[in-house]
Amino acid sequence: MKDKILEKAQQMFLNLGFKSVTMDEIASSLGVSKKTIYKYFKNKTELVAEVTNLMFSSICTGIDSICALKKNPIEEVFDIKRLVMSNLKDEKSSPQYQLQKYYPKIYASISKKQFEIMQVCVIENLNEGIQQGLYRENIDVTFISRIYFSGMMSIKDKELFPLNNYSMNTLMNYYLEYHLRAICTEKGLKQLENQLKQK
């Protein structure tokens, strides 16, 4: 039952937002009483924390699987973007923004973990891209990995980038192109053009 609650809560949080969904609505959509949910989660904050950790683990597992395929680094970046978008349902409800606003402790904890995981992943991608001649040799890998993370977090700020002006998918595509054009060699730019044609 706990897994069913987590699955349904995740679906509803992504579609409607963490703040908007009530425990009553989750119970009702599962056809159970609210008491049943409280048997597994003492309050909504605990449920939100478990759901965000579950989503985070699921995305991390998917990213590890993509990285294990050892594709070229530019293709890898776009594959990871597609995986994240399919998990976050295009972020119509801007879950990260709502998490930050209404559950700041959970947001801070998940952001810290996200930063640690992304640093490893992005640094590996950058080093591999340099080795394959797709990224310029003279880039500062640590700086680029941090600015990449910072930009990824910023495009999810719906006050900076309102979702009625840009879909999250469009923003991610714009940002990846911006990032890669800054670091690619001529050889890398050809690979990037191929990826952009596919999107």
Side-chain angles (χ1 to χ4, degrees), residues 35-185:
K35 221 160 96 178
T36 306
I37 296 180
Y38 285 122
K39 208 161 79 177
Y40 299 97
F41 306 97
K42 66 172 185 258
N43 52 40
K44 186 179 167 186
T45 303
E46 191 176 279
L47 177 58
V48 168
E50 284 223 33
V51 166
T52 52
N53 280 320
L54 192 70
M55 284 162 58
F56 182 76
S57 297
S58 167
I59 290 171
C60 285
T61 302
I63 290 173
D64 286 345
S65 302
I66 290 169
C67 293
L69 297 173
K70 298 287 179 205
K71 291 185 175 182
N72 90 57
I74 294 171
E75 198 178 342
E76 183 180 273
V77 165
F78 280 92
D79 283 353
I80 289 171
K81 185 221 74 165
R82 282 187 278 272
L83 167 87
V84 171
M85 292 317 303
S86 70
N87 272 272
L88 297 181
K89 313 283 187 280
D90 202 26
E91 299 207 0
K92 290 180 186 73
S93 60
S94 188
Q96 179 176 303
Y97 177 81
Q98 288 207 358
L99 203 58
Q100 187 175 8
K101 191 170 179 186
Y102 301 107
Y103 299 94
K105 282 184 183 165
I106 298 171
Y107 174 79
S109 161
I110 217 89
S111 292
K112 185 172 181 286
K113 287 197 281 189
Q114 204 178 347
F115 175 73
E116 287 160 4
I117 297 282
M118 267 183 82
Q119 281 302 282
V120 174
C121 183
V122 174
I123 285 170
E124 278 177 12
N125 180 279
L126 291 169
N127 285 327
E128 191 57 39
I130 292 167
Q131 273 191 335
Q132 292 185 28
L134 299 171
Y135 303 154
R136 291 182 289 109
E137 282 181 11
N138 61 344
I139 60 171
D140 183 321
V141 169
T142 306
F143 171 77
I144 299 287
S145 68
R146 285 170 180 266
I147 205 85
Y148 180 77
F149 177 80
S150 172
M152 270 296 177
M153 300 307 273
S154 294
I155 62 170
K156 292 176 182 177
D157 182 336
K158 73 173 193 176
E159 287 180 7
L160 274 178
F161 299 101
L163 284 176
N164 51 351
N165 292 359
Y166 307 93
S167 76
M168 187 48 66
N169 195 45
T170 301
L171 281 172
M172 293 270 273
N173 282 332
Y174 283 170
Y175 184 64
L176 289 184
E177 183 177 358
Y178 175 81
H179 162 70
L180 289 166
R181 284 196 186 280
I183 63 172
C184 276
T185 58

